[in-house]
Amino acid sequence: KPFMQLTVAERRGVIEDLLGLTIFAEMNKVNKATISSLKEDLDKETSSFRVQTGIIASLDESIANREAALSDTYESKLARVINAKEDVLTLESVLEDIRKEVEPDVENLKAIDIDKINANIEKSTTFNIQTSTQITEKLDRIRFFEENAECPLCSQEIKHTHKVAIKTSLTNELNALQTNQTKIVNIVQKLVDDKATWTSLNDRAMNSIAKYKEIKKDIEYQKTLISDYENDLKKDMSNENVETDKLKIVELGKTVVEIEGRRSKLLEDI
């Protein structure tokens, strides 16, 4: 076909061929395709960047919230530990006061032989009963000679001098028995007083010891609580979930840096 009979597009193609412009058109097409592909890659990297940074932000917020909650819990548990330790100190002070209070009583109890006291009370009481019987017998005999003038067995008259001699002898024996009985009564009373002292000391010591054991048990319980609280505090301080998420953030941070590097390269290429 003659040149002038060609279409506009055909004539432009002929001119481009003659002038060597076709290669530029092809290169332009290739560049456009390359740029389009690079933009798609850039969009993908940008989308991935946003997703990763979003995850990091979410984890940061979650960690901040959990650490705030842990901080409140930590303060609460720490306060419980401090209070429990103060309670232990108070109880140990009370325990020391009880120990100081009961030690003299225990020493005094050791100095008192309660078995010997009980044995002496029993022996003295028996002796006192025997003495009382003898006193009664002496009084009966004295009364007999005061009220009778003759012997009830032989009906013979009892001489006055004989009556006086017998009454004097009986009276002397009676006085000796009564003196002994007074001494026995005093001894028994002293023994009873000693036993009452021992009983009072023993009751007070037993009460103090019982209280001592109860407080000591309470101290052990408080120490167990302190141990449990401190273990909880250690767990809170090294919360595994929080630490795991922090490690995730570090790894995600590395990924974000890599993505940002690729995005920068794509932007340069575009």
Side-chain angles (χ1 to χ4, degrees):
K1 262 186 181 182
F3 179 77
M4 295 305 295
Q5 293 180 359
L6 297 173
T7 64
V8 174
E10 289 174 334
R11 281 183 288 179
R12 185 167 54 245
V14 171
I15 292 172
E16 288 177 352
D17 287 340
L18 290 173
L19 297 175
L21 297 176
T22 304
I23 186 65
F24 293 110
E26 292 300 323
M27 288 176 63
N28 187 43
K29 289 180 183 179
V30 171
N31 285 336
K32 285 183 179 179
T34 300
I35 290 171
S36 176
S37 176
L38 289 173
K39 284 184 176 180
E40 287 180 4
D41 290 342
L42 179 61
D43 288 342
K44 290 179 182 178
E45 295 294 353
T46 300
S47 176
S48 177
F49 179 84
R50 289 172 179 169
V51 170
Q52 298 298 326
T53 54
I55 293 173
I56 290 173
S58 177
L59 286 173
D60 273 334
E61 182 179 359
S62 175
I63 289 171
N65 291 335
R66 278 179 287 169
E67 286 185 334
L70 285 173
S71 177
D72 293 340
T73 304
Y74 180 88
E75 293 298 327
S76 175
K77 290 179 179 178
L78 183 61
R80 283 190 290 179
V81 169
I82 293 172
N83 291 336
K85 286 185 176 180
E86 288 177 351
D87 289 342
V88 167
L89 290 175
T90 300
L91 290 171
E92 286 179 340
S93 176
V94 173
L95 209 61
E96 180 63 16
D97 290 340
I98 292 174
R99 186 188 65 78
K100 291 178 180 178
E101 183 180 287
V102 78
E103 278 184 351
D105 289 344
V106 171
E107 291 302 316
N108 289 331
L109 284 170
K110 290 179 180 178
I112 300 173
D113 189 343
I114 189 63
D115 293 332
K116 185 177 180 180
I117 288 174
N118 287 329
N120 286 337
I121 288 174
E122 183 178 356
K123 186 189 298 183
S124 298
T125 301
T126 301
F127 190 67
N128 186 45
I129 292 171
Q130 293 172 348
T131 302
S132 294
T133 301
Q134 292 175 351
I135 288 172
T136 300
E137 292 174 352
K138 299 298 180 185
L139 287 171
D140 289 342
R141 291 192 64 189
I142 290 172
R143 190 178 301 110
F144 170 79
F145 285 103
E146 288 176 343
E147 297 174 354
N148 295 280
E150 57 182 39
C151 178
L153 296 177
C154 61
S155 300
Q156 291 184 354
E157 182 184 359
I158 301 173
K159 294 181 179 180
H160 178 71
T161 54
H162 182 62
K163 286 173 65 174
V164 171
I166 292 177
K167 282 176 63 178
T168 300
S169 176
L170 290 172
T171 299
N172 290 336
E173 292 175 4
L174 177 63
N175 289 336
L177 287 171
Q178 288 174 334
T179 299
N180 287 337
Q181 188 176 50
T182 300
K183 291 179 180 178
I184 292 169
V185 169
N186 290 335
I187 291 171
V188 171
Q189 186 59 52
K190 175 65 169 58
L191 292 169
V192 169
D193 290 343
D194 289 345
K195 183 174 181 178
T197 299
W198 182 92
T199 301
S200 177
L201 288 171
N202 186 66
D203 290 345
R204 190 166 64 190
M206 289 300 100
N207 289 334
S208 296
I209 290 171
K211 189 175 181 181
Y212 185 95
K213 289 180 179 179
E214 183 180 346
I215 292 175
K216 197 166 182 64
K217 185 177 179 181
D218 196 10
I219 288 174
E220 293 304 318
Y221 174 71
Q222 293 294 335
K223 286 183 176 179
T224 300
L225 287 181
I226 290 170
S227 177
D228 292 341
Y229 292 157
E230 288 179 337
N231 288 334
D232 285 344
L233 287 174
K234 289 178 183 177
K235 289 179 183 178
D236 289 346
M237 291 174 68
S238 60
N239 187 280
E240 293 181 1
N241 293 331
V242 171
E243 295 303 319
T244 300
D245 285 348
K246 285 182 178 180
L247 290 175
K248 285 181 182 178
I249 289 176
V250 172
E251 294 302 319
L252 287 170
K254 293 178 181 178
T255 302
V256 167
V257 171
E258 292 174 0
I259 293 172
E260 184 61 21
R262 291 197 295 270
R263 287 179 71 247
S264 297
K265 181 68 170 59
L266 287 170
L267 287 170
E268 290 175 3
D269 292 342
I270 291 173

